[in-house]
């Protein structure tokens, strides 16, 4: 290994609070490909703590984010060439506890950072300094911006062509990324409609500026759209798939745009998809000069730093609500520790969350050496 700052000469090295960093840690590993997250993923108790290279940071994770993508990744849907075992988890917020020599030009031990990188479901993660985002403090709210906020910001900017007065429909609007689509569309002076599954979620959506909420458990989405928006909607931010996709497609206005950022309704099926009525798709698009665009964050990483900077500024100015759901209302309580990632994924599938689901990784500081 190349030189690492803050290393003692033993197998342990010191972190900034003077406690020892252990030689082993817990982490989650995909050990077989399956759409059932619990079957695919194993909690390893004694993985070696990785050592940062010259341009790297060693981050002690304090909060990790749950994404629908975790299921697709552990089911092997993103990259067929990746074979188990492999690390999982896409984003984390934590403290820098050690770093390589050249990384120390920009970072110091004790600094709060966020990052977007596979392998965050672990107590410690090595993050290239170039990929880290310095933060004013370690707060779960910052985690909401890494994947969920950036997805909403970049997709709406690049594909949505938002402008004042446009009608924007956001499906799963009270979820991790939906909350940002609602707020960013409102900031662009659009009229925003959000679908959700409870009155409590509807109340949250109104609080962040949603003009019309539709509780699909008690209202017929299709009837509401047809009655209240006879001309159709201009932009749809769609993450549900299946029947909701069909509804959204049918409700597009002339020259309407449907942005697909996911299709969570089908992620637990073997194929990952719920059937849609696609046979009439060419005719429907042609009839309205409408378009469907897919959005996958990895293809827009050139825009990522700019998007994050913008979102962080909005949050710090108080112009952006970053709602976090740590599972306090879930049957077994708050999501604490890597063991609870499994529960958090189940909770996401039950559609119970308001905002971004976040798991806290508590750290007990050992006595000074």
């Amino acid at each position: 290994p190349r030189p690492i700052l803050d290393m003692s000469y033993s197998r342990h090295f010191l972190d900034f609070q003077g406690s020892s960093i252990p030689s082993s840690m817990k982490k989650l590993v995909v050990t077989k490909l399956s759409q059932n997250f619990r079957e695919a993923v194993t909690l390893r108790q004694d993985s070696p703590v990785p050592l940062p290279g010259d341009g790297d940071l060693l981050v002690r994770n304090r909060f990790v984010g749950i994404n629908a993508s975790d299921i697709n990744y552990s089911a092997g849907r993103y990259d067929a060439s990746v074979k188990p075992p492999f690390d999982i988890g896409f984003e984390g917020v934590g403290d820098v506890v050690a770093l390589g020599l050249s990384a120390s030009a920009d970072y110091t031990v004790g600094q709060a950072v966020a990052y977007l990188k596979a392998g965050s479901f672990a107590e410690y993660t090595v993050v290239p300094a170039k990929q880290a985002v310095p933060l004013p403090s370690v707060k779960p709210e910052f985690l909401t911006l890494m994947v969920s906020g950036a997805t909403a910001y970049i997709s709406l900017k690049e594909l949505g062509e938002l402008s004042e007065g446009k009608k924007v429909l956001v499906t799963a609007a009270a979820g991790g990324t939906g909350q940002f689509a609602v707020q960013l569309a409102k900031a662009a002076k659009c009229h925003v409609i959000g679908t959700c599954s409870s009155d409590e979620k509807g109340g949250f959506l109104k609080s962040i500026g949603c003009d019309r909420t539709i509780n699909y458990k008690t209202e017929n989405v299709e009837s509401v759209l047809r009655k209240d928006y006879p001309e159709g909607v201009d932009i749809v931010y769609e993450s549900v798939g299946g029947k909701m996709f069909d509804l959204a497609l049918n409700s597009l206005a002339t020259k309407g745009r449907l942005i697909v950022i996911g299709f969570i309704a089908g992620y637990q099926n073997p194929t990952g998809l719920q059937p849609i009525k696609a046979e009439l798709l060419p005719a429907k698009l042609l009839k309205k000069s409408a378009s469907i665009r897919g959005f996958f964050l990895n293809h827009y990483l050139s825009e990522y730093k700019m998007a994050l900077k913008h979102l962080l500024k909005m949050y710090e100015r108080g112009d952006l609500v970053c709602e976090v759901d740590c599972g306090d209302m879930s049957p077994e309580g708050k999501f604490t520790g890597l063991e609870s990632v499994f529960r958090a994924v189940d909770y996401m599938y039950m559609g119970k969350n308001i905002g971004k689901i976040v798991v806290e990784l508590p750290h007990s500081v050992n006595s000074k050496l």
Side-chain angles (χ1 to χ4, degrees), residues 328-349:
D328 296 295
M329 307 306 286
S330 71
E332 292 168 58
K334 194 172 175 182
F335 303 131
T336 306
L338 286 171
E339 307 74 26
S340 68
V341 167
F342 298 98
R343 277 202 302 123
V345 168
D346 290 343
Y347 182 70
M348 174 177 64
Y349 273 103

Side-chain angles (χ1 to χ4, degrees), residues 79 104 142 144 163 227 290 299 360:
D79 185 348
S104 66
F142 292 122
T144 64
S163 59
K227 178 172 160 286
H299 299 146
E360 183 173 0

Side-chain angles (χ1 to χ4, degrees), residues 1-7 51-56 98-104:
R2 284 165 282 189
I4 294 168
L5 302 185
D6 296 283
M7 276 199 71
L51 294 179
D54 180 55
D56 296 333
L99 68 174
L101 204 55
S102 61
S104 66

Side-chain angles (χ1 to χ4, degrees), residues 124-352:
Y124 296 86
T125 304
V126 166
V127 179
K130 284 188 187 134
Q131 289 178 25
V133 179
L135 297 175
S137 60
V138 173
K139 279 166 74 174
E141 284 78 7
F142 292 122
L143 195 56
T144 64
L145 303 176
M146 300 304 292
V147 171
S148 304
T151 294
Y153 181 87
I154 300 170
S155 65
L156 288 172
K157 180 174 175 285
E158 297 291 317
L159 311 180
E161 299 168 40
L162 297 182
S163 59
E164 188 171 348
K166 295 283 187 203
K167 294 190 262 309
V168 180
L169 171 65
V170 180
T171 63
T177 188
Q179 63 171 329
F180 293 110
V182 167
Q183 293 178 81
L184 293 167
K186 280 308 291 177
K189 299 186 173 161
C190 297
H191 176 92
V192 183
I193 309 130
T195 70
C196 61
S197 60
S198 71
D199 291 342
E200 190 191 355
K201 290 184 180 187
F204 165 67
L205 289 173
K206 287 191 178 114
S207 78
I208 58 171
C210 200
D211 297 289
R212 173 69 162 98
T213 61
I214 308 174
N215 177 349
Y216 62 80
K217 295 272 174 81
T218 58
E219 295 178 271
N220 182 306
V221 179
E222 193 172 11
S223 307
V224 170
L225 290 173
R226 199 178 297 134
K227 178 172 160 286
D228 294 358
Y229 305 96
E231 300 292 303
V233 295
D234 303 296
I235 298 131
V236 182
Y237 185 84
E238 216 297 274
S239 61
V240 177
K243 288 178 183 153
M244 189 62 86
F245 174 89
D246 288 331
L247 271 178
L249 177 67
N250 292 338
S251 68
L252 282 178
T254 302
K255 297 185 184 172
R257 296 177 289 285
L258 192 157
I259 304 169
V260 176
I261 63 118
F263 35 91
I264 194 169
Y267 286 174
Q268 288 179 306
N269 294 353
T271 61
L273 294 165
Q274 287 272 46
I276 57 166
K277 294 176 182 158
E279 313 86 52
L280 299 172
L281 194 59
K284 284 179 181 177
L285 295 178
L286 182 65
K287 189 173 143 196
K288 294 178 175 176
S289 291
S291 62
I292 300 175
R293 301 285 299 271
F295 178 87
F296 188 43
L297 186 58
N298 288 11
H299 299 146
Y300 287 85
L301 293 180
S302 58
E303 307 290 313
Y304 185 73
K305 279 269 162 96
M306 171 276 300
L308 218 52
K309 211 185 224 171
H310 186 90
L311 291 165
L312 279 166
K313 267 194 193 132
M314 283 182 77
Y315 175 66
E316 281 161 7
R317 281 200 311 262
D319 294 340
L320 198 62
V321 172
C322 297
E323 190 68 20
V324 170
D325 192 330
C326 292
D328 296 295
M329 307 306 286
S330 71
E332 292 168 58
K334 194 172 175 182
F335 303 131
T336 306
L338 286 171
E339 307 74 26
S340 68
V341 167
F342 298 98
R343 277 202 302 123
V345 168
D346 290 343
Y347 182 70
M348 174 177 64
Y349 273 103
M350 291 188 287
K352 301 290 188 195

Side-chain angles (χ1 to χ4, degrees), residues 35-67:
Q35 68 273 7
N36 180 327
F37 189 81
R38 287 179 181 268
E39 278 180 20
V41 178
T42 304
L43 174 63
R44 294 246 165 103
Q45 300 279 354
D46 54 356
S47 296
V49 172
L51 294 179
D54 180 55
D56 296 333
L57 312 172
L58 181 65
V59 177
R60 183 175 65 213
N61 293 314
R62 298 267 299 281
F63 297 98
V64 294
I66 303 295
N67 293 289

